[in-house]
Amino acid sequence: MDSKKEISSLKEAVGAYFQKEPHSLSPYGNGHINDTFLVENGKRYILQRMNTYVFPKPEKLMENILGVTEHIRRGLSENNGDVERGTLTVLPTLKGNDYYVDSEGGYWRLYKFIEDSVTFEKVEKPQDFYLCAKAFGHFGKLLAEYPVERLGCTVENLHNTPWRYEKLMEAYEGDAVGRASFVTKEIEFVKSHKELAWALENAHREGKLPLRVTHNDTKLNNILFDKYTHEPVCVIDLDTVMPGYSVTDFGDSIRFGANRSFEDETNLDLVGLDLELYKVYARGYTEGFGGNLTADELSLLPVGAMVITLECGMRFLTDYLVGDLYFKIHRPMHNLERARCQFALLADMEKNKMSMTEIINELKKQ
Ligand code: ADP
Ligand code: GN1
Ligand code: MG
């Protein structure tokens, strides 16, 4: 869409939610998927245009979010939790609807801004990461009671790693935008990890990995921390809450938060797994889950971290090969750089596989 249309859609959406023009309106956050804006109007709000390329059924997506947030809010109020800030609150349009569809077919939603909160792009203190792990683990535990039949699928095959492998090979063969010749090394790397791509699906088939209701996007910046105490306040970005594997949620947090570098670091010497962060996260996540993870799930945590790192690298590489349609990019080679960084991280995890396993074995004894 051209930028004139973008601006007029944004204005239209603001008009659907606010009687008067807000004091300020600005792009917000570092998400790769939705268009997020901070609206200030006496109070603060998060206005988002949902990404309908990624989420082709936004109505279903909103139904999921309303159901899940209601479930969490009930849990918070029964346990003296922070009902105001502990989960997302979807606000209605002036006409009382849960979302707004603009004249270009864009889908918008408004959330209460969770005040005095911050997100981190990088772990500053291990203790913050430990608390993040506890919060995601606890979120997993809370969702274990959620009726799975109420959840629609918002992204088909999101963490179906074998499918991601096939899609990457198709994109490489198809070479839609003439970039295939730049990625031969990366394709070789992926091909040499074909077996790993099947590891979680095989474990599931063997009955070792139960399907649970999971978050499926457990990046550090999908948790809001209290600005002053650094306690986690709220798990956000609930667009992908669907059936999945606990070890995938664990792995995605490790991939992003226990990497020594940022997700798109181009100096690959800086990329690598921080075992100390891996260890605190494993402890926090299992504690948050309240002892509900099975022995097989615990054993598969290191594999989960490796699979999801491979998968995320394959997803970035696929998007590079098809012309950057899925993830927002900030420079031309961004998706390729992100992919290279994931593959370097995976290579480092492989070097540290024994230590990753020993850490989990120690945890099992406690
Ligand atoms: P994306 O799917 O694009 O990652 P998110 O829903 O994660 O979008 O939102 C992007 C960013 O906006 C978050 O990382 C966070 O910084 C901020 N954010 C989202 N919702 C809220 C909220 N209710 N209160 C405060 N900040 C928020
Ligand atoms: C996206 O929405 P965001 O930025 O939190 C993506 C995740 C990827 C991640 C990689 C719906 O997460 O699956 O792991 O980018 N979300 C979706 O940084 O595809
Ligand atoms: Mg996000």
Side-chain angles (χ1 to χ4, degrees):
M1 205 192 297
D2 64 45
S3 61
K4 256 195 185 156
K5 276 193 180 157
E6 296 252 336
I7 292 169
S8 92
S9 295
L10 176 59
K11 280 195 174 154
E12 197 187 318
V14 169
Y17 280 102
F18 299 95
Q19 303 272 11
K20 283 198 231 143
E21 200 161 306
H23 306 314
S24 77
L25 177 64
S26 48
Y28 193 76
N30 289 308
H32 293 343
I33 303 295
N34 297 303
D35 295 329
T36 304
F37 300 89
L38 171 66
V39 183
E40 301 196 65
N41 189 20
K43 285 187 184 160
R44 303 206 285 176
Y45 305 86
I46 289 285
L47 177 65
Q48 276 185 330
R49 179 180 16 221
M50 294 170 253
N51 183 329
T52 46
Y53 179 80
V54 171
F55 307 115
K57 293 182 198 148
E59 301 86 352
K60 196 74 229 162
L61 171 71
M62 288 309 290
E63 244 178 80
N64 281 6
I65 290 185
L66 287 161
V68 167
T69 51
E70 184 192 295
H71 176 79
I72 297 170
R73 197 166 293 112
R74 202 175 319 120
L76 288 167
S77 86
E78 284 165 8
N79 294 292
N80 283 329
D82 185 347
V83 180
E84 277 299 304
R85 299 201 305 159
T87 191
L88 289 169
T89 306
V90 176
L91 297 170
T93 64
L94 292 172
K95 288 193 174 156
N97 298 317
D98 293 323
Y99 54 89
Y100 177 71
V101 189
D102 69 38
S103 46
E104 296 291 331
Y107 280 71
W108 297 83
R109 65 183 168 211
L110 189 73
Y111 287 129
K112 224 158 71 175
F113 186 89
I114 297 178
E115 291 295 344
D116 296 327
S117 66
V118 281
T119 47
F120 297 113
E121 296 303 318
K122 192 94 213 67
V123 174
E124 289 174 5
K125 293 194 211 100
Q127 175 68 5
D128 294 347
F129 201 42
Y130 165 72
L131 293 176
C132 163
K134 266 187 101 162
F136 272 130
H138 184 67
F139 186 85
K141 189 178 162 215
L142 272 180
L143 286 181
E145 302 139 25
Y146 193 77
V148 69
E149 65 282 359
R150 285 188 60 194
L151 281 173
C153 177
T154 58
V155 187
E156 295 287 342
N157 295 309
L158 177 64
H159 293 306
N160 179 346
T161 318
W163 187 83
R164 295 286 179 193
Y165 182 96
E166 301 300 344
K167 288 291 134 187
L168 171 59
M169 294 308 152
E170 278 171 29
Y172 181 61
E173 295 303 326
D175 195 16
V177 291
R179 294 174 172 178
S181 62
F182 307 138
V183 303
T184 43
K185 252 173 63 189
E186 288 73 22
I187 292 290
E188 281 319 305
F189 179 89
V190 172
K191 282 186 174 163
S192 70
H193 287 81
K194 186 167 181 180
E195 217 175 298
L196 181 63
W198 265 257
L200 297 185
E201 293 314 308
N202 287 340
H204 175 63
R205 275 185 212 135
E206 288 161 15
K208 291 183 184 158
L209 202 49
L211 267 179
R212 299 177 177 274
V213 176
T214 45
H215 182 281
N216 292 308
D217 191 0
T218 47
K219 274 162 51 167
L220 181 65
N221 63 11
N222 285 330
I223 289 234
L224 301 179
F225 289 84
D226 187 275
K227 198 153 96 182
Y228 304 107
T229 63
H230 280 202
E231 289 279 332
V233 176
C234 183
V235 173
I236 61 165
D237 206 344
L238 305 176
D239 295 334
T240 52
V241 173
M242 286 186 289
Y245 304 133
S246 56
V247 304
T248 302
D249 270 4
F250 171 81
D252 203 29
S253 292
I254 297 299
R255 175 194 73 73
F256 189 87
N259 183 356
R260 290 184 202 282
S261 76
F262 287 104
E263 186 185 54
D264 54 0
E265 177 58 61
T266 52
N267 178 355
L268 299 182
D269 293 339
L270 300 179
V271 178
L273 178 70
D274 183 325
L275 275 172
E276 197 48 42
L277 290 182
Y278 170 87
K279 188 174 175 179
V280 295
Y281 197 92
R283 186 163 58 85
Y285 189 69
T286 50
E287 282 176 17
F289 239 105
N292 291 5
L293 295 175
T294 66
D296 280 334
E297 281 177 298
L298 290 173
S299 303
L300 285 162
L301 290 175
V303 182
M306 292 194 280
V307 172
I308 205 75
T309 304
L310 171 67
E311 183 195 277
C312 193
M314 294 195 297
R315 292 173 66 200
F316 287 143
L317 190 56
T318 306
D319 205 31
Y320 176 72
L321 285 168
V322 299
D324 309 308
L325 303 173
Y326 189 105
F327 297 103
K328 284 179 195 297
I329 53 163
H330 305 296
R331 40 186 194 263
M333 308 257 281
H334 209 165
N335 272 319
L336 178 56
E337 290 163 4
R338 287 168 174 155
R340 286 182 173 148
C341 178
Q342 301 313 296
F343 298 149
L345 177 61
L346 172 57
D348 193 57
M349 284 178 176
E350 288 177 314
K351 282 190 205 145
N352 285 291
K353 193 173 172 195
M354 287 263 278
S355 312
M356 289 167 80
T357 305
E358 271 164 28
I359 287 169
I360 302 300
N361 289 343
E362 280 305 308
L363 204 66
K364 277 183 175 170
K365 289 186 202 152
Q366 287 165 20

